[in-house]
Every structure is written in C-alpha cells, then in structure tokens.
Amino acid sequence: MKFQVQILREGLVDYDVAWRLQREKAEEVRNDPGRAFLMLLEHPPVFTLGKNGDAGNILKAGEIPVRHIDRGGDVTYHGPGQLVGYPILSLREHRLGVRSYVERLEGTVLQTLDDLGVSAHRTPGCVGIWTQRGKIASIGVRVGRGVTMHGFALNVNGDLTPFSFINP
C-alpha cells in the first residue's frame, strides 16, 4: 500500500510542546485516516515515564525534568544528540497491528543503521535496537483510537551520562 507521509523537521523542541503537537496531528489523522506524519526532532534533557512505568526506575533525576506520559514502556531519557521520530498514522488504514507496527519501526531503525555502516541487532524478548556497545535505540508507542503516537529515539551523538541515572 502506498501512502504519503508529511515529514515535520522540528529541530530542538521542548518535550511538552512536541507532545502537544503529536496529539494535534493524531487528531488530524483520526479525522482523515489517509494522512500520516513523521515528526523528527531532538529534545532538551528530559526523562519520560510510560503509563505503566515504575518511578523507582528513575534513580537520580537531578535537574532533568520527568514527564509522566501515555506511551507504553518504562523510563527513558531524551536529550540533544538523539534523533527522535514520532510517526503518526492510522494502523487501521494501513492494516497493521500494534506488534507488527513496532517490529516495522525496529526494522526501519535497523535498516537505517545498516545503511550508515553501523552493525546493530534486535534482542529476543526486548523492544529496541542494540549494538555491541549497548542499546542504541528505544521504542515506545501509544495507539489511541487506531492512531499511533510516540515512536523511536536513536542515540546519535549525545551525552549518554543521564542513562546512568535510570534503570531503563
């Protein structure tokens, strides 16, 4: 199935602003399921805790704000030097289930890394992408009324120290 995706290159965006924009775009897709968006951006430092996440997995927040959000998964860190992608599309329109959607996100990140010459892999029983040096990409999604939000975070060239402040 062919469809067009509007790519929104947002730059460095505060998490709350990006979350609000995701909800607005998701509502646009609900009103017109043939539309799709891909938001590409970075965030200033922030920890996000999924709806069933354990706040005890934030070991030391310090000055980094924490946002309780509506995606799956536990806790992750977002910060400069990390490419964050928020695909917003109708799973019903594209005849996808949640599991196959997440697997396609992982596959897209794997293919992108391979194209860049980075050897990476999936780890059985875990969501995300790893290299020999550790986890390189996190994936956490929310599907509301058939429309996706949230997505992936790919560590490109940022300070990884804040990951030591959490138990992801």
Side-chain angles (χ1 to χ4, degrees):
M1 171 186 295
K2 282 187 134 183
F3 62 97
Q4 287 199 331
V5 176
Q6 182 178 350
I7 298 176
L8 307 172
R9 292 176 180 88
E10 299 294 318
L12 185 67
V13 180
D14 180 79
Y15 190 85
D16 295 334
V17 172
W19 194 14
R20 184 177 63 245
L21 183 57
Q22 282 186 75
R23 291 190 304 263
E24 289 171 7
K25 295 302 177 189
E27 196 56 36
E28 286 183 42
V29 171
R30 283 185 196 99
N31 292 328
D32 181 359
R35 298 192 74 182
F37 298 94
L38 174 59
M39 295 172 55
L40 295 172
L41 51 88
E42 294 178 79
H43 291 300
V46 63
F47 292 117
T48 61
L49 188 63
K51 62 183 177 180
N52 297 317
D54 180 353
N57 284 327
I58 300 173
L59 309 175
K60 176 180 124 180
E63 300 294 314
I64 299 174
V66 176
R67 296 292 180 262
H68 296 264
I69 59 171
D70 58 353
R71 66 155 167 76
D74 202 331
V75 63
T76 196
Y77 167 75
H78 295 300
Q82 186 182 67
L83 174 63
V84 178
Y86 297 134
I88 303 168
L89 59 105
S90 168
L91 291 183
R92 293 177 190 139
E93 182 74 11
H94 301 290
R95 296 181 180 95
L96 290 171
V98 176
R99 181 180 302 270
S100 63
Y101 171 68
V102 170
E103 289 171 353
R104 285 183 185 210
L105 276 180
E106 287 178 325
T108 299
V109 172
L110 276 171
Q111 184 62 57
T112 300
L113 290 170
D114 186 61
D115 290 349
L116 295 170
V118 176
S119 178
H121 61 274
R122 292 178 168 122
T123 297
C126 298
V127 176
I129 303 299
W130 282 261
T131 68
Q132 286 186 323
R133 294 179 57 198
K135 193 170 188 179
I136 192 169
S138 299
I139 295 177
V141 302
R142 176 184 195 286
V143 179
R145 297 188 342 241
V147 174
T148 65
M149 286 180 44
H150 303 286
F152 66 86
L154 176 62
N155 297 317
V156 177
N157 187 24
D159 178 7
L160 301 179
T161 304
F163 282 101
S164 68
F165 304 158
I166 61 175
N167 179 22

